Amino acid sequence: MIELEHVTKIYRLGTFGRRALRAVDDVSFRVAQGRVVSLIGESGSGKTTIGKMILRLIPLTSGRILFEGNDISALSGRALKDYYRKVQGVFQDPFSSYNPIFKADRIFRILKTEFFPTVGPQQWDKRIREVLSTVGLVPEEVLGKYPHQLSGGQLQRFLIARALLLDIQFLVADEIISMLDASTRIDVLNLLAELRNNRGLSILFITHDLSLAHYLSDEAIILYRGSIMESGDIEKVFQRPLHPYTQILLSSVPRLDQKWEETEIRLKVQEGKRTAGCPYYDRCYLAEKGKICADLKPQLVEAEEQHFVACHRFREIPKEVKHAAGQTRGTSLA
Amino acid sequence: MNILEVRDLRVYYQTIKGEVKALDGATFSVAEGEIMGLAGESGCGKSTLGRSLVLLKPPMKYVDGKVFLEGEPLPIWDREKMNAFRFAKVSLIPQYAMNALNPTKKIKRIFADILASRGIRLKQVLSELNWRFELVELPLEVLKMYPIELSGGMKQRVVMVLSTLLNPSLLIADEVTSALDVSTQKAVAKMLVEFRDQRFVKALIVITHDISLLYQIADTILVMYAGKFAEKGGTEEIISDPKHPYTRLLISSLPKIGVRYMETKLRGIPGHPPSLLEPPGGCRFRERCPEAFEKCGEEPPFITLDSTGRQVACWLITGNHD
Amino acid sequence: MTRYLVRKVTIYLLTFFLAVTIDWIIPRFMPGNPIQTMLSRAALRAEAVEVMRGYYLKAFGLDVPVWQQYLNFWKAVFHGDLGVSVYLFPKPVIKVIAEAIPYTLAILVPAIILSWIAGNKFGAFAARRKWLDSTLLPMGYFLTATPYMWLGIFLAWGFGVALGWFPIAGGYSFAMTPNLSWKFVLDLLWHWFLPFASLFLVMFGGWAIGMRNMIIYELEADYSQYLESLGAPRRLIRSYAFRNAILPQITGLALQMGTIAAGAVVTETVFSYPGIGSLIVQAIQNQDYFLIQGCFLFIIIGVLLANFIVDIVYLIVDPRTRRGMIGEI
Amino acid sequence: MKKKPRKVKHEFLYFAWRNWKLRLGLLVVFFFVLLAIVGPHLTPYEPWAYVGPSARPPCKEFWFGTTMFGQDVFTQFVHGLYPVFLVGVLGGGLATVIGTLIGFTAGYRGGWVDEILNTFTNVVLVIPTLALLLILAAYLGVRSFFIQAVFIGCTAWPWTARAVRAQTLSLKAREFVDLAKISGMRPAKIVLTEIAPNMLSYLVMVFILQFGGAILNAATLDFIGLGPTRGISLGLMMQIALLWGALPLGMWWWFVPPGLAIALLVGALYITNVGLDEVFNPKLREM
């Protein structure tokens, strides 16, 4: 479905662009048909940049993004529009995704003028009601309202409904639930899961919340400062985390079924200047000893079937740390 | 002895459309050494409660209610009189901690000016300051730097040290961890517990929407809904045996690591909280509550159920008690 | 921080170059020919006119091709030789201007500095009192909206003609000859006051309003709210807010230089105060091109210099530009 | 006492009417507009005609008295108002348009385009515009109000360009622009239908400031003799009054009204702008 090959994005900063910020550094991964892949990373890890590059909102510096085999940067005009018929996005802040001075359902009208100019009004209205009920919204409650008159949850579902009008195959969901309240969050996730099951929609779920990622996706990709640290089948990555960063993440997430372990978190100040070697070198507890970590950037290596890691020394991680992080105790609450 | 006692506190917001009943009758107490978690979704009034205990200013309006700090009445409605209590007796780590420091002043200068306003010279507390900076893992050179040169997490920790410098009896931490990355979040949360253990603060109220965070650091959890108290109790009891329907549904809707859509499909809470401009009579969760019955038309009192201080406001539970 | 300075200097050099080029255009493209006006005034016989024309052409260096003139002009500027005034013929332009500059600086510099300080203090003070804000502030808007020259005339009429306290024209009394006596200095001040006051008042209104809005904005900022929740006294909160609100006022000062210069020109004309302002207006009426060219050269240099000084002050005062963030001018 | 929440249909209108600054400002501006339209029909005389005794103070016959040459000051005044509005609207409008275009392109396109336009703006910002206006005005022997408006328009736009650029940068980062892009909208359409409407309220305020600024600039130019060579304007009135010794002779009625009118009109415009700012930006509202 979507394939990223050695995608890199370097931002030029400063007056004449002398300072370079390497936001995404040689990232490659694939999202197959009907699969939900979550892109997990903290702020500044480049996950949103990748989402925007797939949606052609920002250009790549190098590397390629293929959709059904052909390079999307080559698309323009008609071809680009067809691409948007199949690939759509939903963004983080529901209130900033709507032009405040127009009614919320204007986003449907834009689609009609751009993609379906010939469709008759009644037929179009029927389709809108159809997609609204798919996303669990009552048309009378939400149509004809201004964005500030609707809740975050409703607005996000509105955006998903908009994407469904185009009968899309690939959806980039960029932190779509982080602004929503816990109680409405889960329904939006269930909606995405149903779309994958019933319509075979493949989704790139971008988030910083590991428990949400685990709930929804089949595969996980852990990003840190623009590079992939670990990726693979989500059960394997969460049960047997191999990369020190993933372990720290898993042990730091506040959980309801388990108290925080006592593993000490060294809050090292994050120096930005390290270019060569492993991006995680500064905060990695393993890196002190090894020299190789400082000079050579580790590549993704298949540690086990459907489980990759980018760390020179992942085999030397002491037993008990690995156990504590990956341990899940007890079943979910009824 | 209770550090904080609040009886029937009402604080409304004045807007052009009328008065928003953000906090409609709060009665609770916080014991010495207790870290009370204040949880609830956006717009439930938890921030209003936190802010009104320190800085109650327009558009917030004090309606009525009594507040006692270590037995002494706290005049929260009198903005001037409260100055004596602020910082020394009750202090706040604000939601906007990341930009709470004046950008054009060195950190050292900010500390010195505020301490001077209390008649304390910076030199007197320098050694204590060093020890506390070390505790929050901040290098000492930070004092010589401008806020612009610090990362968000570092600014937050500077504010934490500053707000607790005079060892206030009550510290209110408003959404302290929500803007942080997962790893720094854990470190900052544990620092709050450390502040209590080091007796920098006698009691702590942690306001957050993230219940799992409270499970990690709070001794008790108070759940709020639409300006009212739903339930309060020990952290373990609230999480393992939630009594109020809202708490139960809220906890069950939180995905835990290990839970997947395939195996167990979690349920959200349909509908949305009522508007607080014209709050509905009786229990405010009535519309969305699956177990609502006609008694819910009357407002359920916030009753203590047993010796452990477990309190709940729901006829379903308290109904068959009296 | 150095990048901030480099950017600044390049802009100023670019501006100086562009402005001086425009300045050079004045005599070349103005209607009528400077030589012609001089000759007609000399009312000589025909052939004498031809001889004089040849002489003037060479004297003003107009006999060489245009680009050559342009280079000569740049060379001359750096030597301070701005050609000769057409109207007051043998007197070199540089000398005429040198006599006028002290007067202009005398009213301009104190007016700018004092109005800036007073305006900001008053603006901060007005933001504190409700009644002050709603009464004296509209007065501030009225002042800043007043055309410079009208206020000048109004003050001249009010204090000069009606009350007779102040003279309404000239740099000093005609009867007196300039000498270093105490009496003459007093007379100078006596004439100086009204033009100064007129400039002062118009600028004062502008700063007061700017500061009032800025300080309200700063008092609403997060750091002020945090100080309040730490029980900091009103005085401390206000001094922090004032300190931050003054920064945009410094940049504002730089941006206003152009309009202030224009204001000075008209105010001097009202009081026929012998500064560069009235010099230019006379030069325009007499079509004395080289004098106009010289005067504007000084105005351009003055404005650029002032801008540069204000930028340096901003650099010293605002730590953000020094440490990391690149400040916009 | 159960206070029924007021049904507030349009928050903007509600606040606009309550804001006394907005009301006062608009009132004064309309007064002058009315005066400019109705005025000339109120007086039988022509601005330049010698109609009465010279230097007569205001009386029933000549409301604003007469000039040194016996011309009716009130007639000159009302005829002089019209060009003030003309130059204000044209000059202010032109400056707003140029400023918006340059600021908008710099903000929206970014990169080196932004760099160049920004440098150009800063250069024009620093140049004393009076020098520029002088040369252009002197160069064109015959000058009309229209030319003057164009001059002012072309030199007063820099600060608008900077403000609009900042506004565009903040709007461009909003996600509804991205949403429009992935809806297949062409960039030009995005600018027109998504970004521009949001800036409308901002541009209105910018125009009002430019309008006031243009009037002041025009009056200054007229005063130093670079105004239009034909017709009458308030600035011209003051120049003539000063030239012919109205000041030493104490003929206040000749030079007070024109200047006062400009001050009141421009002051009213500024106050309207403040009122609008308060209505749009709640922070200043509580003050």
Side-chain angles (χ1 to χ4, degrees):
Chain A
M1 176 64 69
I2 285 272
E3 213 173 321
L4 274 79
E5 286 171 0
H6 305 296
V7 168
T8 304
K9 176 70 188 177
I10 297 172
Y11 282 107
R12 289 265 155 248
L13 297 177
T15 10
F16 303 106
R18 274 190 306 286
R19 263 203 351 276
L21 167 66
R22 192 175 280 274
V24 176
D25 183 10
D26 185 17
V27 161
S28 312
F29 63 85
R30 233 177 334 90
V31 179
Q33 168 76 26
R35 298 277 284 179
V36 175
V37 172
S38 53
L39 202 53
I40 304 168
E42 294 179 328
S43 51
S45 62
K47 56 186 188 305
T48 304
T49 317
I50 293 175
K52 289 204 155 144
M53 284 196 277
I54 294 176
L55 289 169
R56 276 282 305 269
L57 291 172
I58 38 176
L60 280 73
T61 310
S62 67
R64 288 193 320 156
I65 297 182
L66 309 175
F67 175 66
E68 287 168 350
N70 29 48
D71 184 343
I72 65 165
S73 32
L75 305 174
S76 69
R78 199 91 207 90
L80 182 59
K81 240 181 182 173
D82 289 344
Y83 175 67
Y84 282 140
R85 233 185 253 277
K86 300 196 191 74
V87 172
Q88 270 302 325
V90 178
F91 301 117
Q92 170 174 4
D93 177 359
F95 295 103
S96 156
S97 307
Y98 290 82
N99 196 324
I101 45 178
F102 298 112
K103 289 203 165 70
D105 47 32
R106 177 169 177 275
I107 55 173
F108 296 145
R109 233 174 300 113
I110 294 176
L111 280 194
K112 182 159 187 341
T113 37
E114 294 297 330
F115 289 98
F116 307 98
T118 54
V119 167
Q122 309 79 7
Q123 218 224 331
W124 179 250
D125 189 52
K126 194 167 71 61
R127 289 206 56 191
I128 288 184
R129 289 178 184 280
E130 235 172 64
V131 287
L132 282 180
S133 58
T134 342
V135 294
L137 287 174
V138 175
E140 288 65 34
E141 253 177 37
V142 286
L143 289 178
K145 286 259 179 55
Y146 281 95
H148 60 273
Q149 292 167 325
L150 297 170
S151 77
Q154 287 169 319
L155 289 171
Q156 288 298 48
R157 288 171 202 241
F158 230 56
L159 286 174
I160 298 170
R162 169 191 165 283
L164 295 179
L165 275 172
L166 292 163
D167 53 62
I168 51 166
Q169 294 161 15
F170 184 81
L171 179 72
V172 175
D174 185 354
E175 294 257 19
I176 64 172
I177 33 74
S178 61
M179 305 278 276
L180 305 184
D181 278 321
S183 58
T184 51
R185 203 175 258 185
I186 203 69
D187 294 328
V188 175
L189 288 183
N190 293 344
L191 173 60
L192 289 182
E194 276 142 32
L195 292 176
R196 178 207 37 201
N197 296 352
N198 314 349
R199 288 168 173 255
L201 177 70
S202 23
I203 301 171
L204 181 67
F205 185 69
I206 299 175
T207 180
H208 63 276
D209 187 320
L210 286 97
S211 38
L212 292 178
H214 188 274
Y215 176 71
L216 182 66
S217 38
D218 312 316
E219 294 165 39
I221 298 169
I222 312 285
L223 266 181
Y224 179 76
R225 290 215 348 243
S227 312
I228 298 184
M229 295 294 116
E230 190 166 349
S231 68
D233 180 80
I234 195 150
E235 286 297 342
K236 294 193 170 93
V237 170
F238 275 50
Q239 303 290 353
R240 292 180 299 286
L242 299 174
H243 195 284
Y245 177 60
T246 322
Q247 287 156 7
I248 294 288
L249 275 185
L250 282 169
S251 67
S252 309
V253 171
R255 299 158 63 146
L256 276 175
D257 50 0
Q258 191 189 28
K259 289 283 183 187
W260 268 331
E261 289 315 312
E262 283 323 315
T263 45
E264 201 37 54
I265 305 282
R266 295 300 319 135
L267 255 184
K268 287 196 196 131
V269 176
Q270 220 176 4
E271 296 92 16
K273 47 199 177 330
R274 170 146 315 283
T275 42
C278 169
Y280 191 60
Y281 181 83
D282 318 318
R283 288 169 63 177
C284 181
Y285 61 90
L286 264 179
E288 274 82 17
K289 297 180 282 305
K291 171 123 184 27
I292 179 168
C293 292
D295 310 334
L296 181 62
K297 180 168 186 282
Q299 292 309 325
L300 273 173
V301 111
E302 187 161 18
E304 59 173 326
E305 208 262 335
Q306 269 296 328
H307 190 174
F308 303 82
V309 69
C311 171
H312 299 304
R313 308 163 52 76
F314 72 89
R315 288 182 189 75
E316 301 158 40
I317 293 177
K319 224 30 267 73
E320 79 295 347
V321 169
K322 194 185 291 181
H323 168 72
Q327 177 55 32
T328 56
R329 189 165 42 80
T331 60
S332 69
L333 282 164
Chain B
M1 205 275 281
N2 281 342
I3 295 296
L4 176 73
E5 253 166 63
V6 170
R7 283 202 207 94
D8 204 13
L9 180 62
R10 266 179 229 289
V11 174
Y12 295 165
Y13 274 91
Q14 271 161 321
T15 68
I16 53 164
K17 294 195 176 100
E19 275 181 354
V20 172
K21 319 281 190 288
L23 187 60
D24 219 347
T27 310
F28 69 99
S29 61
V30 183
E32 178 144 15
E34 178 186 349
I35 296 182
M36 184 182 93
L38 190 50
E41 296 183 311
S42 48
C44 71
K46 54 186 191 299
S47 278
T48 313
L49 175 58
R51 258 184 249 133
S52 61
L53 292 177
V54 177
L55 180 62
L56 202 151
K57 60 183 271 195
M60 278 201 273
K61 189 183 104 181
Y62 168 79
V63 177
D64 73 36
K66 296 214 177 12
V67 178
F68 298 92
L69 191 67
E70 288 176 300
E72 216 191 314
L74 196 64
I76 57 170
W77 52 87
D78 182 336
R79 207 164 147 191
E80 293 319 317
K81 266 221 222 92
M82 269 299 281
N83 257 353
F85 293 90
R86 291 188 186 120
F87 188 35
K89 283 276 172 286
V90 58
S91 192
L92 170 76
I93 302 176
Q95 215 165 353
Y96 49 82
M98 300 265 182
N99 31 46
L101 297 170
N102 184 347
T104 55
K105 282 273 194 286
K106 282 194 172 128
I107 306 284
K108 190 174 182 144
R109 187 66 204 289
I110 296 174
F111 273 76
D113 287 349
I114 290 182
L115 288 172
S117 72
R118 300 280 159 157
I120 304 166
R121 277 205 332 287
L122 188 63
K123 270 193 263 341
Q124 291 166 286
V125 295
L126 210 51
S127 58
E128 180 64 20
L129 203 54
N130 295 352
W131 145 242
R132 292 190 184 202
F133 262 53
E134 204 191 298
L135 191 69
V136 291
E137 288 165 16
L138 276 176
L140 259 194
E141 303 79 35
V142 160
L143 279 176
K144 292 197 276 310
M145 295 155 90
Y146 286 93
I148 189 83
E149 300 170 83
L150 305 178
S151 75
M154 288 163 80
K155 276 187 266 190
Q156 172 127 40
R157 300 200 302 271
V158 167
V159 166
M160 278 169 73
V161 169
L162 179 53
S163 291
T164 55
L165 204 51
L166 297 185
N167 296 355
S169 343
L170 175 68
L171 173 67
I172 297 164
D174 191 349
E175 294 283 358
V176 172
T177 59
S178 45
L180 297 174
D181 294 333
V182 175
S183 36
T184 26
Q185 192 180 61
K186 176 175 178 180
V188 165
K190 294 182 86 151
M191 280 172 203
L192 283 180
V193 179
E194 190 67 18
F195 275 22
R196 187 268 314 260
D197 297 346
Q198 296 284 346
R199 311 215 52 71
F200 294 163
V201 295
K202 295 204 184 86
L204 187 54
I205 297 180
V206 177
I207 301 174
T208 178
H209 59 277
D210 184 352
I211 289 192
S212 25
L213 178 74
L214 293 182
Y215 176 69
Q216 303 296 340
I217 61 171
D219 306 327
T220 62
I221 295 180
L222 169 61
V223 179
M224 283 184 73
Y225 181 76
K228 290 265 184 198
F229 285 0
E231 188 171 2
K232 179 180 179 186
T235 309
E236 291 299 334
E237 294 79 22
I238 290 277
I239 301 293
S240 54
D241 164 29
K243 294 233 184 308
H244 194 286
Y246 172 66
T247 327
R248 208 169 339 104
L249 284 172
L250 187 62
I251 290 174
S252 68
S253 76
L254 297 178
K256 265 89 51 205
I257 305 232
V259 165
R260 295 202 60 206
Y261 175 79
M262 246 59 94
E263 301 121 14
T264 40
K265 190 170 176 234
L266 299 175
R267 269 269 139 270
I269 307 173
H272 44 78
S275 126
L276 294 179
L277 256 174
E278 264 177 79
C283 170
R284 292 192 173 170
F285 186 51
R286 190 154 167 251
E287 261 166 53
R288 303 171 75 189
C289 179
E291 287 139 275
F293 56 105
E294 73 336 304
K295 192 97 163 87
C296 299
E298 280 163 52
E299 189 178 328
F302 194 53
I303 299 176
T304 316
L305 293 180
D306 52 33
S307 58
T308 63
R310 186 72 186 273
Q311 296 167 298
V312 79
C314 174
W315 292 115
L316 204 63
I317 320 287
T318 55
N320 38 36
H321 257 267
D322 50 10
Chain C
M1 202 269 285
T2 45
R3 181 175 309 118
Y4 173 76
L5 268 182
V6 162
R7 229 154 66 97
K8 279 269 176 265
V9 169
T10 43
I11 287 180
Y12 284 126
L13 287 182
L14 207 65
T15 319
F16 179 71
F17 176 76
L18 193 64
V20 169
T21 317
I22 293 172
D23 189 39
W24 171 75
I25 292 168
I26 299 178
R28 270 69 184 171
F29 296 98
M30 291 266 262
N33 181 316
I35 313 297
Q36 199 48 42
T37 41
M38 285 180 63
L39 293 178
S40 56
R41 211 170 340 94
L44 300 166
R45 284 192 313 286
E47 58 296 341
V49 166
E50 278 323 311
V51 168
M52 288 298 281
R53 183 189 304 283
Y55 166 72
Y56 283 137
L57 275 180
K58 215 142 66 22
F60 293 116
L62 296 178
D63 44 5
V64 292
V66 177
W67 58 268
Q68 184 72 33
Q69 284 174 25
Y70 186 55
L71 291 181
N72 295 352
F73 172 72
W74 273 103
K75 274 206 243 59
V77 161
F78 285 116
H79 296 325
D81 152 26
L82 298 175
V84 173
S85 154
V86 170
Y87 188 68
L88 326 148
F89 175 59
K91 208 171 179 186
V93 164
I94 194 80
K95 214 163 152 317
V96 172
I97 293 176
E99 283 157 16
I101 284 192
Y103 286 101
T104 300
L105 293 182
I107 56 166
L108 205 52
V109 173
I112 292 177
I113 294 172
L114 290 179
S115 69
W116 192 77
I117 293 168
N120 282 317
K121 282 271 183 294
F122 179 76
F125 187 67
R128 233 185 303 178
R129 297 285 182 284
K130 192 78 182 71
W131 60 270
L132 205 60
D133 181 59
S134 46
T135 48
L136 293 192
L137 210 59
M139 219 271 290
Y141 279 108
F142 176 76
L143 270 181
T144 193
T146 319
Y148 279 95
M149 59 270 184
W150 183 71
L151 189 64
I153 301 175
F154 191 74
L155 290 181
W157 174 65
F159 293 99
V161 174
L163 298 171
W165 292 351
F166 289 98
I168 54 164
Y172 49 86
S173 313
F174 296 110
M176 305 185 69
T177 52
N179 54 53
L180 272 174
S181 72
W182 187 243
K183 193 162 165 309
F184 177 71
V185 168
L186 256 180
D187 185 75
L188 270 179
L189 278 177
W190 195 42
H191 284 77
W192 165 83
F193 182 73
L194 276 187
F196 159 76
S198 158
L199 272 176
F200 173 87
L201 282 174
V202 176
M203 288 193 271
F204 171 83
W207 305 126
I209 295 158
M211 173 48 82
R212 178 252 179 197
N213 286 343
M214 277 319 295
I215 205 150
I216 288 176
Y217 185 74
E218 290 299 331
L219 284 173
E220 296 294 322
D222 284 338
Y223 69 86
S224 303
Q225 306 287 346
Y226 181 52
L227 283 179
E228 230 182 310
S229 58
L230 288 177
R234 288 298 305 163
R235 200 181 32 71
L236 178 66
I237 299 172
R238 257 204 299 282
S239 76
Y240 271 25
F242 182 80
R243 181 68 173 58
N244 288 350
I246 208 86
L247 297 175
Q249 294 288 74
I250 296 178
T251 342
L253 182 58
L255 299 182
Q256 287 292 335
M257 283 306 164
T259 36
I260 292 175
V265 166
V266 286
T267 312
E268 284 178 15
T269 330
V270 166
F271 292 95
S272 44
Y273 196 72
I276 284 199
S278 33
L279 206 58
I280 292 174
V281 173
Q282 281 155 20
I284 295 170
Q285 267 135 19
N286 309 333
Q287 302 226 310
D288 181 345
Y289 301 121
F290 293 108
L291 187 54
I292 297 171
Q293 184 182 319
C295 292
F296 272 116
L297 195 61
F298 271 84
I299 288 190
I300 291 163
I301 293 171
V303 167
L304 287 185
L305 210 63
N307 263 307
F308 197 70
I309 293 167
V310 165
D311 282 333
I312 298 300
V313 165
Y314 186 85
L315 208 59
I316 296 163
V317 167
D318 184 353
R320 283 171 289 198
T321 39
R322 277 206 311 280
R323 308 259 186 112
M325 228 174 56
I326 299 159
E328 290 289 321
I329 50 167
Chain D
M1 184 274 285
K2 186 147 187 343
K3 205 144 157 299
K4 177 111 190 38
R6 286 183 295 281
K7 188 78 198 66
V8 177
K9 187 141 185 349
H10 282 298
E11 188 172 330
F12 170 72
L13 289 180
Y14 173 83
F15 258 98
W17 188 246
R18 249 163 54 113
N19 190 302
W20 64 270
K21 295 180 177 118
L22 196 59
R23 274 206 309 261
L24 175 72
L26 288 179
L27 204 67
V28 170
V29 172
F30 283 134
F31 165 73
F32 280 110
V33 170
L34 213 63
L35 195 57
I37 297 165
V38 169
H41 307 294
L42 289 179
T43 78
Y45 312 114
E46 284 309 312
W48 299 107
Y50 305 105
V51 292
S54 92
R56 169 186 288 273
C59 58
K60 210 178 55 54
E61 177 55 16
F62 307 99
W63 293 337
F64 279 8
T66 60
T67 64
M68 171 70 78
F69 322 106
Q71 296 151 326
D72 174 25
V73 173
F74 179 74
T75 316
Q76 288 191 336
F77 176 78
V78 282
H79 282 91
L81 259 180
Y82 167 71
V84 164
F85 277 104
L86 176 72
V87 173
V89 172
L90 270 178
L94 186 62
T96 312
V97 165
I98 299 176
T100 309
L101 279 179
I102 292 183
F104 202 85
T105 339
Y108 191 70
R109 290 200 47 77
W112 56 271
V113 170
D114 183 14
E115 202 69 37
I116 293 174
L117 286 180
N118 218 359
T119 317
F120 176 56
T121 312
N122 290 335
V123 164
V124 176
L125 202 61
V126 174
I127 289 185
T129 48
L130 195 64
L132 232 56
L133 292 183
L134 165 90
I135 293 139
L136 297 173
Y139 180 60
L140 287 167
V142 166
R143 289 182 299 275
S144 69
F145 290 112
F146 180 73
I147 299 291
Q148 186 179 44
V150 168
F151 290 165
I152 292 174
C154 296
T155 53
W157 55 267
W159 69 268
T160 309
R162 267 158 54 114
V164 166
R165 173 174 172 276
Q167 190 79 352
T168 317
L169 285 177
S170 75
L171 275 173
K172 194 176 83 162
R174 297 280 294 278
E175 276 157 2
F176 63 81
V177 173
D178 285 346
L179 198 73
K181 279 186 191 150
I182 62 174
S183 306
M185 276 167 93
R186 287 192 326 287
K189 202 163 170 233
I190 292 178
V191 164
L192 279 178
T193 57
E194 296 293 317
I195 294 184
N198 275 293
M199 289 182 45
L200 212 57
S201 60
Y202 188 77
L203 292 182
V204 163
M205 284 177 9
V206 160
F207 170 69
I208 290 176
L209 286 179
Q210 285 288 4
F211 186 5
I215 295 178
L216 279 180
N217 280 344
T220 313
L221 270 178
D222 299 351
F223 188 75
I224 55 171
L226 288 172
T229 41
R230 268 190 296 47
I232 179 85
S233 83
L234 297 184
L236 218 55
M237 272 175 76
M238 281 196 280
Q239 193 218 7
I240 300 163
L242 190 75
L243 219 57
W244 295 95
L247 193 53
L249 299 169
M251 294 163 64
W252 56 271
W253 59 87
W254 192 357
F255 53 77
V256 165
L260 188 61
I262 292 178
L264 286 175
L265 177 56
V266 175
L269 283 170
Y270 286 163
I271 289 187
T272 315
N273 177 49
V274 170
L276 273 176
D277 192 22
E278 277 177 8
V279 166
F280 290 137
N281 162 2
K283 249 195 206 117
L284 294 173
R285 202 172 290 163
E286 284 89 27
M287 189 52 224

